Structure formats: structure tokens, C-alpha cells
Amino acid sequence: MKKRYFELVREGRKGAAAARAVGVSTSCGSKWFLEAGGMIVLDPGPISPRFLTQDDRIAIADGLHAKRNVKDIAISVGKSFQTVYREIERGSRPGIGYQPWWAHNQALLRRHRPKEEKIRGSEPLRTLVREKLTDKWSPQQISRFLTRTHAGDPAMRACTETIYRALFAGLLGSRPGKIRTGRTRRKKQRRGVPTLNKIKNMTLIHQRPTEVNDRVIAGHWEGDRATRSCTNLSGLTDRRSS
């Protein structure tokens, strides 16, 4: 019943009309509307299976009301229990508990793009980051400092990448060298991506044939060609035999 009410409201129905359509009073519909945060965000529908839908959030709320284990709830909605734990923490309101309609609205608001850069929208955060950069702190050091000193205030925390983006977007003032190293642009970050061989189809040292590792054949001695001017194969043979 409540689900149908919110579906009608998202379709453009007035609150009173939606309440009559599902068979409840206008005051009951108004109460549901206020519990959802006093606003209804248009739902574009499922974008990816990894996102929780409104039905998933309703199932989570029903499971919590029935005092089911979080892992059992996660199995029933087909998501990992870590996802459900995070959802319960974000979707719970002080003194009220988990509210699926309010949580769904908040999720839709977070999903909205484009978003204003965090450092652009916060003067205190921008000022603090600018001061640390002036003192030759690196973005990594600043991010860790913000995490330690503002553990209870998410608005005053910024990850390393956020600081780098603000730095190169000019949000932190004009600087002769964007980074304390003096570089004006950042190196590419390729964490978890294997580095390609500089020489195409190069044979790695651990893939050498056995006879090369055994050094039985003249010329298989590493460093001879690179460090000596050897033109006499017999000399290589003598060194090997000696």
C-alpha cells in the first residue's frame, strides 16, 4: 500500500489523490510523505544490478522489523552483507531507525550528477587545504591529517584524489608548481594495472630456456657482451672452463 502511494506520487499525483487511490486518509499519506523526508525524488529506475532498488530497501526494512540477521537479509535481496550493513547505517535516522523511503530518496540525491566539487563548496575545507599546501604538505599528508583531526565531521575530510582535482582545477589558488615537487601535472595512477613490456614480445628473465640458466654454451654468460669488448669466442670458452 505504501509502495503504491509513493509510485503514484512519483508519477505526478497529488498527495491527497494518491492517498485516496490506495485507500488511506490524506493525513496518513502526509505522514508517509514526511517520513520520506518531505520530498520525492524522481526515480530513473535501475541503472545497474549493483544498486539497491526501492523494493530491496523495503525488504531490508521488513527483515529488520522481523529481527532477522543482516546476512540473511542480504541473501534474500541478492546483495553482499557489507552492502546491506552500509545501507542500514546510511539509511537510519536518529531515534527512528531504518526508513526505506527516506533512504531511497537520499540514495537518488547522492546519485544525481553533476555534483559540485567538495572543496569548491566548503570555504573552511578549502582554506585549510590551501594552508597545508603552502606549508609544503603533500595531498596524501593533508588527507590523513583531515581524517585524524575531523573524524566526526565528513564535511571537513577529503581524499587524496579530491585534493589533486581541486589543485589542478585552480580551486586552491594560482601556484607556480602545482605539486610540492614542482611538477605542473600529475603522473598517471595505474594501481592494480600491470605495466606493459617496453619491448614488444620481450622474453622475461625467468622465462629463459634451461640451457641459458645452466650457462653451458659459450655466450650465455650475462654481462660479457655488455661489460667487456670480447671478440674472441675462445676467450669466453676459457673463462667458462676456468
Side-chain angles (χ1 to χ4, degrees), residues 190-197:
R190 296 177 58 83
R191 296 184 182 89
V193 179
T195 303
L196 298 178
N197 293 333

Coordinates of all heavy atoms in Angstrom, one line a residue, residues 190-197:
R190 N 48.2 4.1 -11.9 CA 47.9 2.8 -12.5 C 47.9 1.7 -11.5 O 48.5 0.6 -11.7 CB 48.8 2.5 -13.7 CG 48.7 3.5 -14.8 CD 49.7 3.1 -15.9 NE 49.6 1.8 -16.4 CZ 48.7 1.5 -17.4 NH1 47.9 2.4 -17.9 NH2 48.6 0.2 -17.8
R191 N 47.3 1.9 -10.3 CA 47.3 0.9 -9.3 C 46.5 -0.3 -9.7 O 45.4 -0.2 -10.2 CB 46.7 1.5 -8.0 CG 47.5 2.6 -7.4 CD 46.9 3.0 -6.1 NE 47.6 4.2 -5.5 CZ 47.3 5.4 -5.8 NH1 46.3 5.7 -6.6 NH2 47.9 6.4 -5.2
G192 N 47.1 -1.5 -9.6 CA 46.5 -2.7 -10.0 C 46.5 -3.0 -11.4 O 46.0 -4.1 -11.9
V193 N 47.1 -2.2 -12.3 CA 47.2 -2.4 -13.7 C 48.6 -2.8 -14.0 O 49.5 -2.1 -13.8 CB 46.8 -1.1 -14.5 CG1 46.9 -1.4 -16.0 CG2 45.4 -0.7 -14.1
P194 N 48.8 -4.0 -14.6 CA 50.2 -4.5 -14.9 C 50.8 -3.6 -15.9 O 50.2 -3.1 -16.9 CB 49.9 -5.9 -15.5 CG 48.5 -5.9 -15.9 CD 47.8 -5.0 -15.0
T195 N 52.1 -3.3 -15.7 CA 52.9 -2.5 -16.6 C 53.2 -3.3 -17.9 O 53.8 -4.4 -17.8 CB 54.2 -2.0 -16.0 OG1 53.8 -1.3 -14.8 CG2 55.0 -1.1 -16.9
L196 N 53.0 -2.7 -19.0 CA 53.3 -3.4 -20.3 C 54.8 -3.4 -20.5 O 55.5 -2.5 -20.1 CB 52.5 -2.7 -21.5 CG 51.0 -2.7 -21.4 CD1 50.5 -2.0 -22.6 CD2 50.5 -4.1 -21.4
N197 N 55.3 -4.5 -21.2 CA 56.7 -4.6 -21.5 C 57.1 -3.4 -22.5 O 56.3 -3.1 -23.4 CB 57.0 -5.9 -22.2 CG 56.8 -7.1 -21.2 OD1 56.9 -6.9 -20.1 ND2 56.5 -8.2 -21.8

